[in-house]
Amino acid sequence: TWTDAQATRAAFDEVEAFLAEAGPDDRVVLFLAGHGLHARDEAATYYFLTSEADPKALAKTAVPFERIEELLRLLLPRELAARSDLPLE
């Protein structure tokens, strides 16, 4: 569990390492809550705002939601329950 100030970009490396240990017979339950923000560029990349997020430097201080989607794709478990509570801002 990572909460508040623990929810950093570096924590996502820890999450990735933890999830990499899940095997095909494991059940993974993932709940992600926080805030997200679209970058004000042509791509309008959606970012999960970490505790260290700076709206003026999202690429360096927040986590692109594509990275979260990639973590889910890499999971081996046959059972996955994922829920997110990310209001658009």
Side-chain angles (χ1 to χ4, degrees):
T1 301
W2 291 266
T3 60
D4 301 326
Q6 298 169 323
T8 63
R9 283 175 54 99
F12 276 83
D13 295 334
E14 295 174 32
V15 171
E16 186 173 6
F18 175 79
L19 293 177
E21 295 179 16
D25 295 323
D26 291 329
R27 178 179 296 147
V28 173
V29 178
L30 177 64
F31 179 76
L32 179 65
H35 293 275
L37 188 65
H38 284 279
R40 295 185 184 268
D41 59 14
E42 189 173 309
T45 303
Y46 186 66
Y47 288 92
F48 174 76
L49 299 179
T50 63
S51 62
E52 63 208 351
D54 177 353
K56 295 178 182 173
L58 291 173
K60 294 181 180 180
T61 62
V63 176
F65 203 77
E66 289 176 352
R67 181 164 184 209
I68 296 167
E69 292 172 332
E70 184 62 28
L71 288 175
L72 295 175
R73 280 192 287 276
L74 294 175
L75 285 174
L76 293 175
R78 294 185 188 119
E79 292 188 48
L80 169 65
R83 168 89 163 87
S84 68
D85 182 11
L86 296 172
L88 295 176
E89 295 186 17

